Amino acid sequence: MQGAPLSDLKKNNKQKIRNNDEMSRFLNEPYRRLAPYTPGEQPQDMKYVKLNTNESPYPPSPGVIKALDEAAVERLRLYPDPECTVLREKLAKMYGVKPENIYLSNGSDDILNFAFMALSGGVVRFPNITYGFYPVFADLHRVPYRTIPLRKDFTIDPEDYCHPLDGECLRGAQQDLGGSAVGSDGMRDGMVVIANPNAPTGLTLSEADIRRITEANPDRVVLIDEAYVDFGAISCVPLTKEYENLLVVQTFSKSRSMAGARLGFAIADSELIADLNRIKYSTNPYNINRLTLAAAGAALDENDYYRENCELIQQTREKTAAELKNLGFEVLPSKANFLFAKSDRIGGGELYRQLKARGVLVRHFDNPLIEDYNRITIGSSHQMRIFLEKVGEILQTANEGGGHRNA
Amino acid sequence: MQGAPLSDLKKNNKQKIRNNDEMSRFLNEPYRRLAPYTPGEQPQDMKYVKLNTNESPYPPSPGVIKALDEAAVERLRLYPDPECTVLREKLAKMYGVKPENIYLSNGSDDILNFAFMALSGGVVRFPNITYGFYPVFADLHRVPYRTIPLRKDFTIDPEDYCHPLDGECLRGAQQDLGGSAVGSDGMRDGMVVIANPNAPTGLTLSEADIRRITEANPDRVVLIDEAYVDFGAISCVPLTKEYENLLVVQTFSKSRSMAGARLGFAIADSELIADLNRIKYSTNPYNINRLTLAAAGAALDENDYYRENCELIQQTREKTAAELKNLGFEVLPSKANFLFAKSDRIGGGELYRQLKARGVLVRHFDNPLIEDYNRITIGSSHQMRIFLEKVGEILQTANEGGGHRNA
């Protein structure tokens, strides 16, 4: 569910307030104004070619199924290992770090939540178009934040994260909060959060850019959200050995076909990992269940299977991008398992609605900055063929009817 | 892991500070003093008859295994239903409430955490001997609290929770916090938290007592933690239809043999459930994975299997209690899946250590108020026979050596 930009969040909040503004008189004051995140739609009314939430089109590998049986029969009645020892060792080996550099969580959202809760350090910065959950975490924990505009081509300017926020920006963030979460020591710059590849654009920063941002913020955490890194981008995991302030977050939800199993992980200096464990052991020590642990362990043992799937998804992505361009789309050069594209003939919202009416779900965001675009998860070749066929049909109808672009 | 009393927590904290005081310079100030919870030991050095963490001795039912296969093959790549619709409907039917009265979580600790975070309302009250995680949640969220001593016989006096805390108590709670979490409106009484049956005593309050406490606190949440309710106690779930301030928390970890699957649930007025959802959707909307959802759904379809297991555990409990009494133990009249017992011949810590040396793990707490006792999870008849044999051996040796009671 990565990728909802801020305006989508606002739209969702509106839905929330409209449909779900129920609360008790017992809810503590700061939480009464809280606007929680609403996930992408999961309609049940018909069978869709579901391309709206960036899941893998391929099932988990055979060993996972076997592992689940063993975990269920023998051990489900027992608490899981709260230290996730076996899985941390496997991941450490795979990523060339030590087990104490790895933290596992019930989905990567849990790590992001803990980071906003306990590692914010001041006014947090992230792009104005990125994963829509970041401002929700900030609001939940009453952490001040500033969103930094992307460049016009939707790329991130690393320089924006290499210099302290000026006094006006800091005061602005303070005002957003009504001063409530601001200590007597005044405001200061805090954590930097960057999704790389970014969502919903799929665009990347280079390793050199990440290095520069990390070095420019020696006293602040730099959190790099690599949920989509396995589809052709360069991971900055190796940099965690050089920089104690770099926190890299990944997930099993995308490249490892396990959105349904809920497993995320962080790689960082052991002190930052200890911080995450400190919060975990104060909230939910058994935060990962045995079934997920077993499935993930089996998945790592069959890593080639997933690497091949990621290759396949990249090939399908490039082919789909080329075909969309042939249909007149502008397509951002994505390194993720989705494309972000706009048509020269039909508005983003209209294309989304017409695709949905034809049984294809993509994700559209109301944010005026990106309302012309749709985010299209890369499914199987077969799914993308259906998608492209329906797009072709819709464009033809649009042409015949004079186009919906200015309707 | 229910059942660690406060002094055990303190002991664990000491261990934490001794073994695990690592933290980064980035950890936010309030969390630097945080003393997280440490779960019971999970030693790997030999094969124990494991009776120390209140898990079920019986495996999940056959349908669970089947369900896991289906969930894994078909759907693991997809995000789970964040609303847990199917499972909430099944639970609602079983407990005679509506789906909107049910909240599901990644273990019941998640619910307790949210309640301390967002429903505390003022100075929280709970017994001085109870689940050791309550003060950890309070500290995490900087919520003031007061612990209320049990009666000498370890029962809870309901009257202690029916009258406002006096000014001195409120000021004391305020001082604990250094005033940091205290609003300008001054201190007031907050949430009441009671485990029923209580841990590690296994003693219960009656439905009438819960009703009285709930009625006496109309403007405060009364949270009843029913983790152990299925082993012969009376649930107060029916009262949630009468009282909008009553929040009942249960778990699949004990009576449904799924500690390894991590699933807890709350039953309450729909407004309180909406509050929990508000926090959930601001932290981790997909907090329950598909495998656990599938396993739990299958388990509810085979509820008779679990009811029979609970019957069996109660029978084994009563038989074990009788045999312990024959061996000179004082045994509290437990309604949970554990016994809390002390010998007239050997100290609690010594018995714990000698049992462990003989391959039997029970749980001992260093709190001076209960240091003579051990908490013994009810396992299978076979496991309890081994336990009783080892106890017999230890007592005989103790008698021959003049006893360790005063050693």
Side-chain angles (χ1 to χ4, degrees), chain B residues 225-244:
Chain B
D225 183 347
E226 293 192 340
Y228 298 106
V229 80
D230 291 330
F231 303 99
I234 306 291
S235 169
C236 64
V237 163
L239 299 186
T240 60
K241 293 181 186 173
E242 294 180 54
Y243 303 105
E244 63 176 2

Side-chain angles (χ1 to χ4, degrees), chain B residues 109-140:
Chain B
D109 285 343
D110 249 20
I111 300 169
L112 301 172
N113 182 39
F114 284 4
F116 275 90
M117 180 185 193
L119 298 170
S120 54
V123 178
V124 175
R125 260 180 289 186
F126 45 84
N128 66 334
I129 297 172
T130 190
Y131 184 28
F133 218 138
Y134 299 154
V136 177
F137 293 130
D139 286 342
L140 177 72

Side-chain angles (χ1 to χ4, degrees), chain A residues 2 95 108 112 134 193-198 204-207 210 223-231 233-240 246-256 265-267 335-336:
Chain A
Q2 306 261 352
Y95 285 90
S108 59
L112 301 173
Y134 299 153
V193 181
I194 292 175
N196 191 44
N198 195 17
T204 56
L205 284 180
S206 69
E207 194 192 51
I210 302 286
L223 189 160
I224 306 296
D225 183 347
E226 294 192 341
Y228 298 106
V229 79
D230 291 329
F231 302 98
I234 306 291
S235 170
C236 65
V237 162
L239 299 185
T240 61
L246 181 60
L247 179 64
V248 181
V249 179
Q250 293 198 12
T251 176
F252 276 62
S253 293
K254 316 294 176 184
S255 59
R256 290 195 173 92
F265 60 102
I267 299 184
K335 292 286 183 191

